[in-house]
Amino acid sequence: MKFTKIFACLILILSPFHFSFSQENPTDLVNPFIGTAPLTDPAIIGYTPPQDWRVWAGLTFPGSALPNAMVQLSPITKWGSGAGYEYEDTAILGFAHTNKGHWNLCNLAVLPLSPEAVAPFQSSFFHAKENASPGYYDVYLEDYKVKVKLTSTLRTGMHEYKYDNPTDRRILFGLGKSNNDVSDWEIEKASKNAVSGFQQVGRDKIHFYAELSHEVTDLKLENKGEKEGYAILSLSDQDTGAVTMKIGVSYVSMDNAKDNLQKESSGISFEEIRQSAVSEWNKLLSKISVKSDSKRDKEMFYTSLYRTFLWPALRSDVNGEFTDEAGKTQRQNFKYYTIPSLWDTYRNKLVLLSILSPEVTGDVISSLISRAEITGFVPTFFHGDHGAPFITGSYKRGIRNFDVRKAYAYLLNNAYNKEGPRSFVDEYMEKGYISDPDVKNPNVETKARAGVSKTLEYAYDDYSLAILADTLDDQEHFEDLMARSQNYKNVFDPSVNFMRGKLANGDWITPFDPEYPYYEYMYREANAWQVSFYVPHDMPGLVKLYGGEGEFEAKLDEFFTKPWNPKYIARNISTFIGQYCQGNQPDHEAPFAYYYVDKPGKSQAILDKIMTELYGIGPGGLALSGMDDAGEMSSWFVCAAVGLYPMSPADADYLVTVPLFEEVTWKVDNGNDLVILNPLGGRNLEEIKVNGKTLNGYYVGHDLFRKGGIIELETN
């Protein structure tokens, strides 16, 4: 409790100094520190975390990056943490060149050193002397007396160091460290003012070429290639001005790293690169403009939109080369990207990517196809087979810069081949559900099959693939997959009105506590309450399954009001409204479920509570209610805040809710705008008009993003 109070005071005192507002450009409203602070209040978390636990909230990084870039240049305060940076920490260990916010990456860390610095290398810092904005970060290292400024291009990190003492200046290359185990590393002088090398982490070999403004007079290596090893560069004293260092990165070769540096940053000043980054972000973020008197709401919106476009990350070089799934070098007519975090991001983030960055979307899908050409399957991520809704939804939204028939063929292989990435798909096809074992006294961490979650997710994936089959005139697979999409009914127990685990023989798993959360027993990172409203492709069918509109509404009412049991502690399940968990994704569709019993006002009350109370929370407003998961938590906020939610992301339509703002404008490619208006400012939806005509229902189609138009809401 003492720590919480001190920490709260610290942020409240310091945060105004390292972030200021201007409404001139969207980038002025982005606060990269949001999501870096811990969630500490048990009243918000839902339980008292065990000692030394840091709840998985936010896990974002404050450093410099361009949209979907190869380089994310950000400070490291703790190795092995979600994004390498935790706001409550007081020392910086280095500045790494890759980041996702998922306990991985954080490669190629460097740190300017004073003459007297000794291992273990780190410097204290204060948030009052720390600033961040899109494409920029700076901090003063108190122990080493160095002002650090960072900016970046797609494939290059640029550093500027101003040493208080301009003699005996040194730079640490901490190549033995990353967020994952380093198996090997090398560094050598490439010229009088350049060094080059690599860092090997798992299958990734990250090459670098670093060019400095000053001559490198010495290069000392400690424990070369080892996890505890590092290198130290010594610089010439001849020029006492600021030291600049540009580091080109490549996943292919050192020559490509050098080429990336030369093509993207050679002959360009630090300030020019920084301004280019700001322009790039403003170009993207200004595709959605909002009107509101609330600085807080606009800050949270543009920060969330910014977070939406940091991942997936570029992996092809300026010359087009990339390292493929087999470890071979390829050059294709598309840019190669990492696998999206499909379990989370198919819901909202990849929908926003397809709307606002269609070329990148097509390249991301082409990258998935490239992997499938080697493995035979479209990659999945963590759980489910959500390449299907991503690819189908993107195609339905007009993305055409990928081979859709090739993608479809591989997705079919995912759906039918038991050797593929759909775990237990043979049982799913035979029985229409995935079973779990009979475990006596299961606990949160019990290892099993997450059969209920898999069944529900595969059913939705089947629906998504069925849509693509229909679009491509494959009637046989359309009918089979559409029938399979009804498998959600096989894990619904009408005796208790919950989605419930089954044994292999078809019996329901007992005993049954719908409030108890599991990591992978019956449910994936959820309890029965949190998955029992997940049928995004057939919500009317789900309502009938519950017994009708009255029963469904009553169940939702109980869901959002039944208190969480504070004795039920799961690290990745936190921040509740009743049993609803905003801190993880499995139930993120549930707040919209009241629409299917014609009660949009009830949904809006929940949505407003989430947007205003569970984002930008805690001391200084720098915490999020849960892990951002490569931008999914942020993209949920964006969709809810603009009033268009992709309930079924495979379908090119959107559920209309009341925006957080008076007016929202989407820039449409043909030069027209899609404008959403709430002229009366009410929060209860009464009527929707599209281009002056009353809408029958609550959905609008994607054509509005192609042609433009006006959505006007009547509210009270």
Side-chain angles (χ1 to χ4, degrees):
M1 184 64 69
K2 183 182 293 184
F3 168 77
T4 302
K5 289 180 179 178
I6 294 173
F7 178 66
C9 293
L10 179 67
I11 294 184
L12 289 171
I13 292 170
L14 296 181
S15 58
F17 291 93
H18 73 274
F19 183 74
S20 59
F21 287 106
S22 166
Q23 298 185 45
E24 190 171 353
N25 291 302
T27 52
D28 297 323
L29 293 164
V30 174
N31 184 351
F33 290 102
I34 290 176
T36 64
L39 197 58
T40 58
D41 186 351
I44 296 174
I45 297 168
Y47 50 81
T48 300
Q51 188 174 2
D52 299 326
W53 261 35
R54 192 185 198 268
V55 175
W56 289 351
L59 307 184
T60 61
F61 62 90
S64 173
L66 290 184
N68 302 109
M70 182 181 294
V71 166
Q72 300 84 30
L73 180 52
S74 194
I76 301 296
T77 64
K78 184 178 182 181
W79 293 112
S81 60
Y85 178 96
E86 296 183 344
Y87 196 87
E88 67 272 28
D89 291 339
T90 58
I92 286 177
L93 311 179
F95 303 98
H97 286 76
T98 63
N99 211 304
K100 180 186 178 184
H102 215 273
W103 296 282
N104 58 0
L105 301 180
C106 297
N107 304 110
L108 308 179
V110 301
L111 183 69
L113 304 176
S114 62
E116 63 275 6
V118 295
F121 300 104
Q122 63 180 38
S123 174
S124 61
F125 74 106
F126 298 112
H127 294 304
K129 298 180 182 179
E130 182 186 39
N131 299 279
S133 58
Y136 179 75
Y137 173 87
D138 73 51
V139 69
Y140 183 76
L141 303 180
E142 296 291 333
D143 296 333
Y144 299 156
K145 309 299 181 186
V146 183
K147 175 65 177 290
V148 175
K149 296 166 65 175
L150 308 175
T151 188
S152 57
T153 67
L154 285 174
R155 304 171 181 89
T156 303
M158 188 164 184
H159 307 241
E160 181 180 287
Y161 304 147
K162 292 185 177 179
Y163 295 77
D164 287 1
N165 177 7
T167 60
D168 297 324
R169 293 167 293 187
R170 300 184 297 161
I171 300 175
L172 170 75
F173 275 64
L175 297 175
K177 298 286 188 181
S178 80
N179 251 5
N180 301 113
D181 287 342
V182 176
S183 59
D184 194 14
W185 59 267
E186 288 185 5
I187 186 172
E188 61 183 10
K189 286 187 68 173
S191 70
K192 67 177 184 179
N193 68 330
V195 295
S196 62
F198 69 83
Q199 186 182 59
Q200 184 80 47
V201 181
R203 296 179 60 195
D204 287 337
K205 191 172 187 178
I206 306 100
H207 303 267
F208 67 91
Y209 184 88
E211 189 174 86
L212 294 101
S213 57
H214 291 59
E215 181 179 347
V216 178
T217 58
D218 191 25
L219 175 60
K220 290 183 178 180
L221 278 63
E222 293 287 340
N223 299 319
K224 179 182 177 182
E226 301 295 325
K227 293 180 181 179
E228 298 304 319
Y230 56 87
I232 295 179
L233 282 64
S234 296
L235 304 179
S236 168
D237 292 338
Q238 287 187 352
D239 182 352
T240 60
V243 173
T244 60
M245 178 170 63
K246 300 175 182 179
I247 301 183
V249 176
S250 169
Y251 284 76
V252 176
S253 69
M254 187 277 289
D255 287 340
N256 279 13
K258 182 178 180 180
D259 189 45
N260 289 342
L261 184 153
Q262 291 177 336
K263 296 287 176 55
E264 292 186 352
S265 63
S266 182
I268 306 174
S269 71
F270 182 96
E271 192 57 34
E272 287 172 327
I273 291 176
R274 177 186 177 182
Q275 290 304 318
S276 178
V278 172
S279 297
E280 188 71 20
W281 276 113
N282 275 325
K283 180 181 177 182
L284 176 59
L285 300 179
S286 63
K287 290 185 178 182
I288 307 178
S289 60
V290 298
K291 181 180 179 182
S292 173
D293 292 331
S294 171
K295 287 184 178 180
R296 179 266 174 198
D297 290 350
K298 288 186 289 187
E299 174 195 8
M300 191 55 57
F301 177 77
Y302 282 111
T303 300
S304 298
L305 188 58
Y306 164 79
R307 293 276 179 220
T308 299
F309 287 92
L310 293 173
W311 193 265
L314 182 66
R315 286 295 179 262
S316 56
D317 293 323
V318 169
N319 64 7
E321 290 183 345
F322 61 88
T323 299
D324 67 17
E325 191 71 10
K328 297 180 179 179
T329 301
Q330 283 198 43
R331 181 185 285 136
Q332 299 290 344
N333 62 350
F334 60 85
K335 293 179 180 178
Y336 192 72
Y337 286 89
T338 57
I339 300 171
S341 299
L342 288 165
W343 187 52
D344 313 302
T345 61
Y346 81 97
R347 291 175 167 87
N348 304 289
K349 175 186 165 81
L350 294 176
V351 174
L352 290 171
L353 187 75
S354 68
I355 295 172
L356 299 179
S357 293
E359 287 297 319
V360 171
T361 302
D363 285 347
V364 171
I365 295 173
S366 293
S367 303
L368 296 178
I369 295 171
S370 171
R371 292 177 173 91
E373 289 174 333
I374 295 168
T375 66
F377 304 99
V378 173
T380 59
F381 181 86
F382 190 63
H383 208 252
D385 186 21
H386 302 320
F390 170 42
I391 292 171
T392 297
S394 297
Y395 191 75
K396 298 291 283 186
R397 290 179 179 85
I399 307 297
R400 293 294 184 268
N401 59 323
F402 70 95
D403 189 332
V404 66
R405 292 195 176 274
K406 188 177 286 187
Y408 175 62
Y410 288 122
L411 286 171
L412 283 177
N413 205 29
N414 282 30
Y416 287 93
N417 191 331
K418 67 179 182 179
E419 302 300 324
R422 285 202 191 191
S423 303
F424 315 114
V425 73
D426 50 346
E427 182 183 33
Y428 174 80
M429 290 189 291
E430 177 189 350
K431 300 177 180 178
Y433 69 91
I434 295 172
S435 66
D436 269 283
D438 189 4
V439 178
K440 301 302 180 184
N441 302 314
N443 58 54
V444 171
E445 300 292 337
T446 293
K447 301 295 183 184
R449 292 176 156 200
V452 176
S453 292
K454 280 187 173 67
T455 301
L456 295 173
E457 292 182 39
Y458 288 175
Y460 180 65
D461 296 330
D462 288 340
Y463 168 82
S464 302
L465 193 51
I467 293 174
L468 191 55
D470 187 46
T471 303
L472 299 178
D473 298 320
D474 182 353
Q475 194 64 24
E476 180 181 354
H477 280 116
F478 166 73
E479 292 176 1
D480 185 53
L481 289 163
M482 196 59 79
R484 283 169 47 166
S485 76
Q486 295 296 298
N487 282 342
Y488 73 88
K489 297 175 181 177
N490 297 331
V491 291
F492 185 82
D493 181 359
S495 71
V496 292
N497 271 4
F498 282 107
M499 300 293 178
R500 182 174 178 180
K502 279 186 171 181
L503 300 173
N505 65 4
D507 290 345
W508 298 112
I509 289 177
T510 56
F512 176 65
D513 181 354
E515 297 178 40
Y516 194 83
Y518 294 101
Y519 184 72
E520 60 178 13
Y521 184 56
M522 298 189 284
Y523 314 106
R524 175 58 96 179
E525 300 186 1
N527 67 13
W529 277 105
Q530 290 153 5
V531 304
S532 290
F533 302 98
Y534 178 83
V535 187
H537 57 295
D538 188 18
M539 291 299 289
L542 182 64
V543 171
K544 290 180 182 178
L545 210 57
Y546 273 95
E549 292 188 358
E551 291 83 353
F552 187 76
E553 182 181 357
K555 194 73 171 183
L556 280 173
D557 289 346
E558 187 180 3
F559 177 45
F560 287 109
T561 57
K562 188 177 186 62
W564 182 262
N565 186 337
K567 295 180 181 179
Y568 290 172
I569 298 174
R571 194 163 196 160
N572 48 1
I573 304 173
S574 63
T575 316
F576 306 99
I577 301 175
Q579 292 294 303
Y580 172 77
C581 172
Q582 180 62 23
N584 208 349
Q585 289 82 18
D587 57 354
H588 272 188
E589 290 80 11
F592 303 89
Y594 283 110
Y595 271 77
Y596 301 93
V597 293
D598 201 28
K599 297 290 179 66
K602 283 192 169 184
S603 277
Q604 197 60 55
I606 300 296
L607 295 173
D608 287 349
K609 182 177 180 65
I610 294 169
M611 287 189 287
T612 58
E613 297 180 18
L614 300 184
Y615 281 80
I617 54 181
L622 298 182
L624 294 177
S625 57
M627 180 180 171
D628 196 41
D629 269 333
E632 175 54 27
M633 193 74 68
S634 293
S635 61
W636 186 97
F637 183 92
V638 171
C639 293
V642 299
L644 294 175
Y645 191 81
M647 188 70 175
S648 169
D651 291 297
D653 55 22
Y654 310 89
L655 186 68
V656 178
T657 64
V658 181
L660 192 59
F661 308 104
E662 303 166 31
E663 184 176 318
V664 177
T665 302
W666 296 70
K667 300 297 181 185
V668 179
D669 285 342
N670 66 4
N672 297 321
D673 292 337
L674 169 57
V675 182
I676 307 168
L677 301 172
N678 181 18
L680 298 179
R683 306 308 300 162
N684 294 306
L685 183 62
E686 296 286 339
E687 185 180 39
I688 305 167
K689 290 184 178 179
V690 179
N691 295 328
K693 296 181 180 179
T694 298
L695 182 69
N696 182 22
Y698 298 108
Y699 279 92
V700 295
H702 190 74
D703 274 352
L704 286 170
F705 285 100
R706 297 188 181 101
K707 301 175 183 177
I710 298 176
I711 301 172
E712 186 170 352
L713 309 182
E714 182 176 318
T715 59
N716 63 39

